[in-house]
Amino acid sequence: MIYVFDYATLKLIWWLFLGVLLVGFAIMDGMDLGIGALLPFVARTDDERRVMLNSVGPHWEGNQVWFITAGGATFAAWPLVYATAFSGFYVALILTLFSLFFRPVGFDYRSKVSDPRWRSVWDWGIFAGGVVPMLVFGVAFGNLLQGVPFHFDSDLRVFYTGSFIDLFNPFGLLAGLVSLLVLTMHGAIYLQLRTEGALRRRAAVAARITGVLFIVAFAGAGVWIATGIDGYMIAAMPARGASFVPLAKSVVRAPYGWLYNPGLHPWTVLAPIAGIGGAALALLLSSGRRSHLAFALSSLSVAGVVLTAGFALFPFVMPSSADPASSLTVWDSVSSHRTLQIMFWAVLIFLPLILVYTAWAYRLMRGTITERHVREGGNALY
């Protein structure tokens, strides 16, 4: 087989690909989750709740493609990461999966019965299907920055020595709160883009509250990482283009270790700046009824949060607090050269298609959703 890229370059490309998928998931599906979290609080009437659901109704299933694709790409490109993550975060991921069950069922069945109690149950189910994933994904990133208690034996069997409760440590909960707040702000700004009247005004208030709290929480998490959490650094390893197992390298923990990449590559500081600056400008513009630009800036803020964690961790994907040498990195946890090459061409073909049909769908179904619209739509709408 003729290889267009060497093995080391393909490893880096696949780290970038996964980053694109995670950012896409956070932006696209994050706004659906955020609107779900706001559903019981922003709407005052059943018609308003239906307006909220139908604001994302044409897109929420398509948005989940980003999540599914990111999971599939992790399994194919980084099998060791996939296996280790499911060992360490198994209960948390199952909890997330079960909470997500409420979304498709809630969207499809909520408005089929006019009983207020029936609809209220599904409203809270959709709420749980929004809040739990946002919180758990943030908690997971918080634990990655602290190190996950796992190790490999000489046969590369993975052993996880932590517990489900251990995941919800103070910093993990703060990271979960950052995720919950930024995506709820993102959803509220998207809701302003698709609604009008009193519902739009209440969405603006929700965006301001969650946005300000996000900026405070995100800045606090940054200070905590800089001053209270040791990072990881590779002391020695085989050549990046070689095929080697995780235990072949040497890793050390060091104070301020997660600040190494920003110090070496100052341009990576743009990520946290985008996280905070994007949110601040989005709130300013959303208050001035410039919802389209506000949504673009809130998307920038969401991307900034994900990239901040990614840039700080690089080249680590899943650091180990139990045995630093077992930490999984971009260089030692990937599939074979041949596998990465074949999948590279598949991504090069299908990722642009996803972007094109997503853009087409949003353009075709743009505009505001009103209470009159949902009343006239009857049971044909959510």
Side-chain angles (χ1 to χ4, degrees):
M1 183 176 183
I2 299 176
Y3 295 106
V4 177
F5 299 103
D6 60 65
Y7 197 16
T9 301
L10 273 174
K11 292 177 182 181
L12 184 58
I13 288 173
W14 270 97
W15 178 79
L16 294 172
F17 275 160
L18 191 63
V20 169
L21 291 172
L22 289 176
V23 169
F25 164 65
I27 292 174
M28 305 306 296
D29 210 28
M31 68 186 184
D32 301 345
L33 299 173
I35 288 176
L38 293 169
L39 184 62
F41 307 109
V42 171
R44 296 289 185 267
T45 66
D46 184 68
D47 282 345
E48 287 185 343
R49 284 185 280 275
R50 293 189 67 196
V51 167
M52 290 182 66
L53 293 176
N54 283 283
S55 70
V56 294
H59 310 296
W60 72 270
E61 290 177 292
N63 291 341
Q64 290 192 140
V65 169
W66 293 94
F67 180 46
I68 296 167
T69 306
T74 303
F75 173 76
W78 291 343
L80 275 178
V81 175
Y82 188 89
T84 306
F86 269 87
S87 296
F89 300 146
Y90 183 80
V91 177
L93 290 172
I94 289 297
L95 177 65
T96 302
L97 181 63
F98 273 85
S99 69
L100 286 172
F101 288 166
F102 287 108
R103 295 183 71 205
V105 181
F107 270 85
D108 287 333
Y109 289 108
R110 178 199 180 275
S111 297
K112 302 303 182 186
V113 178
S114 59
D115 186 345
R117 291 171 298 180
W118 168 270
R119 295 187 174 188
S120 178
V121 167
W122 288 117
D123 288 342
W124 286 105
I126 294 170
F127 167 80
V131 169
V132 173
M134 291 191 291
L135 183 65
V136 170
F137 293 145
V139 167
F141 269 98
N143 279 272
L144 289 179
L145 288 164
Q146 296 176 96
V148 182
F150 73 91
H151 67 277
F152 292 103
D153 66 7
S154 58
D155 295 320
L156 284 188
R157 293 177 298 180
V158 64
F159 296 88
Y160 179 73
T161 55
S163 68
F164 173 69
I165 299 299
D166 292 339
L167 295 176
F168 295 90
N169 52 74
F171 182 77
L173 288 173
L174 178 58
L177 184 62
V178 168
S179 172
L180 179 64
L181 290 170
V182 70
L183 294 181
T184 304
M185 175 199 72
H186 188 51
I189 291 177
Y190 180 75
L191 194 59
Q192 289 181 256
L193 188 65
R194 298 300 307 279
T195 60
E196 57 186 36
L199 184 58
R200 188 184 189 280
R201 290 191 292 272
R202 288 195 293 271
V205 172
R208 286 195 293 271
I209 293 172
T210 54
V212 170
L213 291 175
F214 154 68
I215 291 172
V216 173
F218 187 52
V223 172
W224 196 337
I225 289 172
T227 60
I229 296 178
D230 289 346
Y232 290 72
M233 300 178 66
I234 297 176
M237 72 171 189
R240 295 178 180 181
S243 180
F244 61 96
V245 298
L247 296 177
K249 66 180 179 302
S250 176
V251 175
V252 296
R253 298 192 68 171
Y256 316 110
W258 295 138
L259 300 182
Y260 176 75
N261 285 334
L264 189 63
H265 305 288
W267 59 268
T268 61
V269 178
L270 292 174
I273 291 175
I276 293 177
L281 290 174
L283 296 180
L284 183 64
L285 291 171
S286 69
S287 299
R289 301 185 66 83
R290 302 190 61 180
S291 300
H292 286 85
L293 187 53
F295 180 72
L297 287 165
S298 73
S299 299
L300 177 66
S301 179
V302 171
V305 173
V306 177
L307 293 175
T308 296
F311 290 157
L313 283 166
F314 184 84
F316 292 92
V317 181
M318 196 169 181
S320 170
S321 58
D323 175 27
S326 295
S327 298
L328 298 174
T329 73
V330 172
W331 314 118
D332 58 18
S333 59
V334 297
S335 294
S336 67
H337 194 174
R338 181 185 181 89
T339 300
L340 296 185
Q341 177 77 31
I342 292 172
M343 293 196 324
F344 168 80
W345 294 116
V347 170
L348 212 60
I349 294 170
F350 290 108
L351 184 59
L353 288 177
I354 293 174
L355 293 172
V356 168
Y357 83 65
T358 299
W360 173 80
Y362 274 89
R363 178 172 177 77
L364 184 67
M365 291 173 274
R366 65 190 184 278
T368 57
I369 306 294
T370 65
E371 293 182 47
R372 178 182 175 182
H373 180 214
V374 298
R375 282 195 294 267
E376 291 178 351
N379 288 340
L381 297 179
Y382 292 126

